[in-house]
Amino acid sequence: QVTTQLEHVLSEPRLGAGWISTTDGVAVGYLLVVYVFSLEHLGITAEIDELFVLPSQRGRGIGAKLLNAAESEFRKVGCSNVSLQLSRHNNSARSFYHCHEYVERAGYELLEKTFHDG
């Protein structure tokens, strides 16, 4: 299921993009983004779906390089902004994003509804 969906999003550049970081030919991190049209933001926005770096590789600038590469692409494709969802308890990720000029959106909270088959 995950493989199929990943192949789908990466085969359609208008849906999203991905980056992989390697060290000595071994994958050590990745970033996956999806693109969404937003009337509120007057155009295409990027949403970081996942940014992951192996725990043994953290603190070496890998996440920053992935984020910088992605943000460069966001500008190139004309995104008006980028957002992401973050666990309330993930303080290390929050600190990482704050260092890269990401801020909490004042007055907003994420709501969701999951659709089940059947």
Side-chain angles (χ1 to χ4, degrees), residues 11 13 25 41-42 46-47 53 55 57-58 62 69-71 76 91 118:
S11 70
H41 293 288
L42 302 175
E47 180 175 334
V53 175
Q57 301 295 311
R58 292 178 185 165
I62 294 167
E71 288 179 352
K76 192 183 306 180
N91 294 326

Side-chain angles (χ1 to χ4, degrees), residues 10-83:
L10 294 178
S11 70
E12 294 280 345
R14 64 182 178 79
L15 295 179
W19 294 262
I20 297 174
S21 180
T22 61
T23 299
D24 298 325
V26 176
V28 294
Y30 68 91
L31 188 150
L32 179 66
V33 64
V34 294
Y35 296 127
V36 179
F37 174 79
S38 170
L39 187 58
E40 176 184 2
H41 293 288
L42 302 175
I44 300 299
T45 66
E47 180 175 334
I48 296 172
D49 188 59
E50 294 193 25
L51 172 54
F52 177 79
V53 175
L54 289 173
S56 64
Q57 301 295 311
R58 292 178 185 165
R60 299 179 182 190
I62 294 167
K65 288 178 184 176
L66 287 164
L67 190 58
N68 289 337
E71 288 179 352
S72 176
E73 182 68 14
F74 301 158
R75 289 182 185 93
K76 192 183 306 180
V77 300
C79 291
S80 58
N81 80 323
V82 57
S83 62

Side-chain angles (χ1 to χ4, degrees), residues 1-10 30 32 49-50:
Q1 179 86 10
V2 171
T3 301
T4 301
Q5 294 304 317
L6 189 56
E7 288 172 349
H8 177 69
V9 74
L10 294 178
Y30 68 91
L32 179 66
D49 188 59
E50 294 193 25

